[in-house]
Amino acid sequence: MPKGPGEWRQGTCLTSQPNPRRYTKSTRHPNVAMTLAKEPSTSVIAPDDPSQTAASPDGQAVVFPPGDLYSDEPPLETDLHRDQIDLLIRLLRSLWHDRQDFYVSGNTTIYYSPKQRKSEDFRGPDFFVVLGTERRPRKSWVVWEEDGKYPHVIIELLSDSTAQTDRGLKKQLYQDTFRTPDYFWFDPHSLEFEGFHLVDGTYRPLEANEQGWRWSEQLGLYVGIHDNQLRFFTPEGALVPSPEESAVAEHQRSEKLAAKLRELGIDPDEIS
């Protein structure tokens, strides 16, 4: 997920073979980065009661936030990143307006701690889709409260400060821990676009078609670039329209019909 320069860093507990299954990050200080979670012997459990405290290594009291956290992701890096996330969400909600079996969101926290702690092991993909779940608003996605479901599709937007992580550590996390079947990344500035599908536990690159689109088996749609933005396309190759584009197209159809009626001597305004 795109963040401000210098916002993410690797933790001091990294080894030569980083374990992608355990990440944690600060959500308050702008210069504190995502780090690998501490080993269980040094982890501190966030109490259910926010008034409870625990002792830090230096003996100071540590006050934890409430367990029922709202998503608290850092700001997006550019207008292009924000607009792209918003567009993808609106496109899918509009296309699947009659479906109630999915959840789509962006820049929203996913909590996935095996110990069911909201104080560790969480990520905020730029765009993700979970299938086979209830379509309703959520503060965040808590895996252990959602029948153990992880996203079926994730799209990360590259930036100068996050590209290396998106192509490396996060790809490994989504492959090995989330087991997300379809993973894509896209750079709104350079238009770099790649896609991967999980095969036997390993991400394999998705082959692009003649238009440069890549097929998402989970969505049943192509994902590709149109007018410098990432868009969805139907299996037949039609562009999935945004709500605004649909409204314009409907208005144009109405105007053409009205013009045809006038040619036939019929006033369209008199037709109920």
Side-chain angles (χ1 to χ4, degrees), residues 101-171:
D101 62 347
F102 74 98
Y103 176 70
V104 58
S105 189
N107 204 35
T108 299
T109 304
I110 297 174
Y111 294 99
Y112 61 96
S113 167
K115 299 177 182 178
Q116 300 188 5
R117 299 173 181 170
K118 289 185 177 179
S119 59
E120 62 183 32
D121 296 339
F122 49 98
R123 290 289 310 141
D126 290 322
F127 172 87
F128 67 92
V129 182
V130 183
L131 304 174
T133 190
E134 183 182 359
R135 181 177 181 175
R136 60 178 174 81
R138 291 167 171 83
K139 300 176 183 178
S140 56
W141 184 266
V142 185
V143 169
W144 59 89
E145 294 176 359
E146 302 283 357
D147 299 323
K149 288 182 177 292
Y150 286 84
H152 293 79
V153 179
I154 290 178
I155 299 176
E156 291 285 7
L157 302 182
L158 304 182
S159 67
D160 291 341
S161 61
T162 67
Q164 183 176 357
T165 301
D166 291 332
R167 299 187 190 106
L169 289 178
K170 282 195 284 188
K171 180 185 175 187

Side-chain angles (χ1 to χ4, degrees), residues 54-271:
S56 66
D58 60 5
Q60 299 296 318
V62 178
V63 180
F64 287 92
D68 192 16
L69 296 174
Y70 284 87
S71 181
D72 189 11
E73 294 303 311
L76 297 174
E77 190 158 288
T78 69
D79 288 342
L80 291 180
H81 289 86
R82 182 196 63 239
D83 293 345
Q84 178 66 82
I85 293 172
D86 178 63
L87 175 61
L88 290 172
I89 293 172
R90 290 187 297 110
L91 286 171
L92 205 60
R93 286 177 176 172
S94 177
L95 179 65
W96 291 352
H97 65 276
D98 58 345
R99 289 182 56 171
Q100 301 299 321
D101 62 347
F102 74 98
Y103 176 70
V104 58
S105 189
N107 204 35
T108 299
T109 304
I110 297 174
Y111 294 99
Y112 61 96
S113 167
K115 299 177 182 178
Q116 300 188 5
R117 299 173 181 170
K118 289 185 177 179
S119 59
E120 62 183 32
D121 296 339
F122 49 98
R123 290 289 310 141
D126 290 322
F127 172 87
F128 67 92
V129 182
V130 183
L131 304 174
T133 190
E134 183 182 359
R135 181 177 181 175
R136 60 178 174 81
R138 291 167 171 83
K139 300 176 183 178
S140 56
W141 184 266
V142 185
V143 169
W144 59 89
E145 294 176 359
E146 302 283 357
D147 299 323
K149 288 182 177 292
Y150 286 84
H152 293 79
V153 179
I154 290 178
I155 299 176
E156 291 285 7
L157 302 182
L158 304 182
S159 67
D160 291 341
S161 61
T162 67
Q164 183 176 357
T165 301
D166 291 332
R167 299 187 190 106
L169 289 178
K170 282 195 284 188
K171 180 185 175 187
Q172 189 175 359
L173 173 69
Y174 299 152
Q175 170 187 278
D176 297 340
T177 301
F178 282 29
R179 315 292 288 172
T180 295
D182 292 343
Y183 174 48
F184 302 88
W185 68 57
F186 173 65
D187 189 323
H189 292 276
S190 70
L191 305 186
E192 176 186 338
F193 173 50
E194 295 291 343
F196 304 87
H197 181 69
L198 198 65
V199 179
D200 295 330
T202 302
Y203 275 141
R204 304 296 184 190
L206 286 167
E207 184 177 351
N209 65 8
E210 294 180 357
Q211 292 81 13
W213 309 340
R214 289 168 171 82
W215 177 252
S216 170
E217 183 177 300
Q218 298 298 306
L219 298 179
L221 299 167
Y222 284 105
V223 184
I225 300 172
H226 174 77
D227 285 346
N228 295 333
Q229 289 184 308
L230 203 62
R231 300 290 298 261
F232 299 125
F233 302 84
T234 68
E236 297 74 28
L239 178 71
V240 173
S242 67
E244 295 82 4
E245 290 167 341
S246 295
V248 170
E250 180 60 32
H251 178 72
Q252 291 174 343
R253 284 192 294 268
S254 297
E255 289 295 313
K256 289 181 179 179
L257 177 59
K260 185 64 176 179
L261 290 173
R262 291 189 184 97
E263 290 177 2
L264 299 173
I266 302 173
D267 187 349
D269 296 331
E270 295 180 355
I271 299 177

